[in-house]
């Protein structure tokens, strides 16, 4: 078994197992603890509307912070959108999902993907620069912050190497002529899968749950978001 076969085989299935089992464990743990019974009279019973309001209102920076955090907020939007475009719009990624699940959707044009890579990489570099140079951020940062950044940044870099012209050439039998860049990229993605449920990156699937629960609770109390 060569490195690419290992990345496409046991390493992939193990990382997916950890990803889904770990994510399910995190979600079940949240709902298992539950919440204390609120005996107060609800000001609103539109809990679903409150949950949706909680989810979407937190995507917009509050006006109290707009004077000081414009660059950081804009950077956050840019690299999150860039990552979403790359992950869900790139044809090889869609084919990867289709191979695993049978589901597929139309891909975005190649130039759009390449344009999205720039803001994603630059945005992540800006995030790390701010974390290293700001005294308060540096004091508050721990292993989770740096390692989570690393496992997101690494697939971007290895992905750029895997999509270069020479690396994607295939033999007459359909196998890649240069499998090493593809294998390294796959392994970097699998490292991301392994870490995602346990570190701060879990916000990628927890964010809507937590904001929805908070929004529903605050809507019940009639509190402004």
């Amino acid at each position: 078994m060569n490195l690419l076969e290992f990345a496409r085989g046991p390493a992939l299935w193990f990382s997916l197992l950890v990803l889904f089992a770990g994510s399910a464990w995190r979600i079940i743990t949240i709902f298992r603890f539950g919440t204390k019974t609120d005996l107060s009279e609800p000001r609103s019973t539109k809990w679903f509307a409150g949950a949706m309001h909680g989810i979407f209102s937190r995507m917009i920076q509050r006006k109290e912070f707009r004077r000081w955090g414009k660059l950081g907020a804009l950077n956050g939007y840019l690299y999150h959108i860039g990552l979403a475009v790359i992950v869900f719009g790139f044809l090889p990624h869609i084919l990867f999902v289709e191979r695993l699940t049978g589901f597929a959707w139309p891909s975005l044009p190649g130039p759009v993907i390449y344009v999205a890579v720039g803001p994603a990489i630059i945005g992540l570099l800006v995030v790390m620069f701010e974390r290293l140079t700001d005294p308060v951020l540096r004091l508050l940062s721990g292993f989770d912050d740096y390692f989570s950044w690393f496992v997101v940044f690494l697939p971007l870099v290895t992905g750029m190497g895997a999509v270069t012209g020479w690396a994607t050439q295939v033999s007459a039998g359909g196998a890649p002529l240069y499998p090493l860049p593809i294998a390294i990229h796959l392994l970097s993605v699998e490292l991301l899968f392994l870490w995602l449920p346990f570190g701060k990156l879990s916000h990628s699937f927890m964010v809507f749950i937590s904001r929805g629960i908070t929004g529903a609770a605050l809507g019940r109390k009639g509190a402004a978001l």
Side-chain angles (χ1 to χ4, degrees), residues 108-216:
L108 293 172
V112 175
I113 303 299
Y114 294 128
V115 169
V117 171
I121 291 180
I122 294 173
L124 287 171
L125 289 174
V126 170
V127 168
M128 181 53 68
F129 177 78
E130 289 181 332
R131 192 170 291 280
L132 292 174
T133 56
D134 187 288
V136 177
L137 279 178
R138 193 169 64 242
L139 183 65
L140 296 174
S141 300
F143 172 80
D144 190 0
D145 299 287
Y146 295 112
F147 192 68
S148 294
W149 181 92
F150 174 72
V151 297
V152 173
F153 190 74
L154 188 61
L156 283 174
V157 176
T158 58
M160 291 294 292
V163 299
T164 55
W166 60 270
T168 53
Q169 294 177 18
V170 296
S171 66
L177 287 175
Y178 303 96
L180 184 59
I182 300 174
I184 293 175
H185 177 58
L186 277 173
L187 291 172
S188 69
V189 173
E190 288 155 11
L191 178 62
L192 171 63
F193 287 168
L194 290 172
W195 179 250
L196 193 144
F198 308 108
K200 290 189 173 181
L201 295 179
S202 60
H203 78 271
S204 58
F205 63 88
M206 300 277 283
V207 63
F208 299 116
I209 298 173
S210 60
R211 287 182 181 179
I213 293 174
T214 303

Side-chain angles (χ1 to χ4, degrees), residues 98-120:
E98 184 178 22
R99 183 168 67 91
L100 294 176
T101 67
F103 293 104
W105 53 90
S107 63
L108 293 172
V112 175
I113 303 299
Y114 294 128
V115 169
V117 171

Side-chain angles (χ1 to χ4, degrees), residues 18-55:
V18 173
L19 172 66
F20 288 110
S23 301
W25 171 71
R26 290 293 302 272
I27 294 172
I28 291 171
T29 301
I30 290 177
F31 286 101
R32 184 183 175 191
F33 281 119
T35 57
K36 294 181 179 178
T37 303
D38 190 347
L39 301 177
S40 64
E41 183 179 353
R43 294 183 179 178
S44 173
T45 57
K46 299 177 180 177
W47 62 270
F48 182 75
M52 291 296 103
H53 187 57
I55 291 172

